[in-house]
Amino acid sequence: MKKGFIALLTLVMLSSCQEQTKIGFVDNSKLINDYQKKKDVEAKFQVEIDAFNKKVDSIGQSFQALAAEMQEKDPQMVQKSSQEQYQALAQQYQRFQQQFQMEEQQIQKKSQSQIDTLIKDIRSFVKDYGEKNGYSYILGSNEAGSVMYGKESEDLTKDILEALNAEKKKD
């Protein structure tokens, strides 16, 4: 009995001497949204979107001006030539709208592609950070509640964000 107790005590002591599991967590939203490289990508695409919107507005206004001019010349669109011109203008405007939709989709696709690449880079960075700093796990916290609670001292968001932004400055 005494030998069994000593063996059990030895096992307990050995297991307590083993490496402790180190766990931390990050706020996914904050990490991604406060990453300077993401802010730079968004700013770049905002400039592109603003230019696109100005172009759309300008062309839209010129079409409206042409339509108003046609209406002024023939208020009831009685003349066949007026009707044909108006229909041609409407068809041309419709083609421009389709072209604008395609351009807008291309901008969105490029933007999403770059954001997806940034997210992959962040995941890779967090993995490397965890390995270098001896973490067994780094969990992601989000609105869906994958981490419902974490000690403030285990929140790595600020540290990883600072390291990530410092890495970006090297580029």
Side-chain angles (χ1 to χ4, degrees):
M1 180 83 156
K2 198 173 190 181
K3 287 183 183 181
F5 179 72
I6 292 175
L8 181 63
L9 183 61
T10 304
L11 281 173
V12 170
M13 288 177 60
L14 282 175
S15 65
S16 68
C17 290
Q18 290 178 348
E19 182 181 331
Q20 292 290 325
T21 301
K22 191 172 177 183
I23 300 173
F25 70 95
V26 295
D27 180 334
N28 292 339
S29 298
K30 184 173 178 146
L31 186 63
I32 291 167
N33 291 329
D34 290 350
Y35 182 28
Q36 188 59 47
K37 201 169 186 177
K38 180 183 182 270
K39 290 178 181 181
D40 294 346
V41 166
E42 287 176 335
K44 177 185 128 190
F45 278 103
Q46 190 59 50
V47 168
E48 198 171 323
I49 289 167
D50 290 346
F52 171 76
N53 287 336
K54 283 181 184 177
K55 180 172 96 174
V56 169
D57 290 345
S58 173
I59 291 173
Q61 288 174 355
S62 63
F63 273 104
Q64 287 175 350
L66 282 172
E69 187 180 312
M70 286 180 176
Q71 185 73 27
E72 235 178 72
K73 287 181 182 176
D74 189 1
Q76 274 76 39
M77 292 285 185
V78 177
Q79 297 176 9
K80 186 176 181 181
S81 64
S82 295
Q83 290 175 353
E84 289 171 354
Q85 286 177 342
Y86 192 77
Q87 286 176 344
L89 183 66
Q91 287 174 349
Q92 189 178 12
Y93 185 67
Q94 192 173 23
R95 284 192 299 272
F96 276 117
Q97 282 183 319
Q98 289 171 347
Q99 180 183 345
F100 294 152
Q101 285 176 340
M102 287 178 23
E103 285 181 43
E104 185 177 33
Q105 288 171 351
Q106 287 174 341
I107 292 170
Q108 288 173 345
K109 194 174 181 179
K110 279 190 330 189
S111 172
Q112 190 58 51
S113 173
Q114 286 194 9
I115 297 297
D116 289 347
T117 299
L118 287 176
I119 290 171
K120 286 178 187 173
D121 291 347
I122 290 171
R123 286 184 180 149
S124 175
F125 186 90
V126 170
K127 179 183 177 207
D128 291 344
Y129 182 92
E131 289 172 354
K132 288 177 187 173
N133 292 287
Y135 283 90
S136 300
Y137 302 97
I138 296 180
L139 307 172
S141 155
N142 60 29
E143 296 300 316
S146 61
V147 174
M148 299 294 287
Y149 168 77
K151 285 184 184 177
E152 194 69 32
S153 61
E154 303 301 324
D155 186 349
L156 304 172
T157 307
K158 183 179 177 199
D159 297 336
I160 290 177
L161 186 59
E162 287 173 358
L164 196 57
N165 283 328
E167 185 80 15
K168 186 253 181 225
K169 288 179 183 176
K170 291 179 185 176
D171 292 341

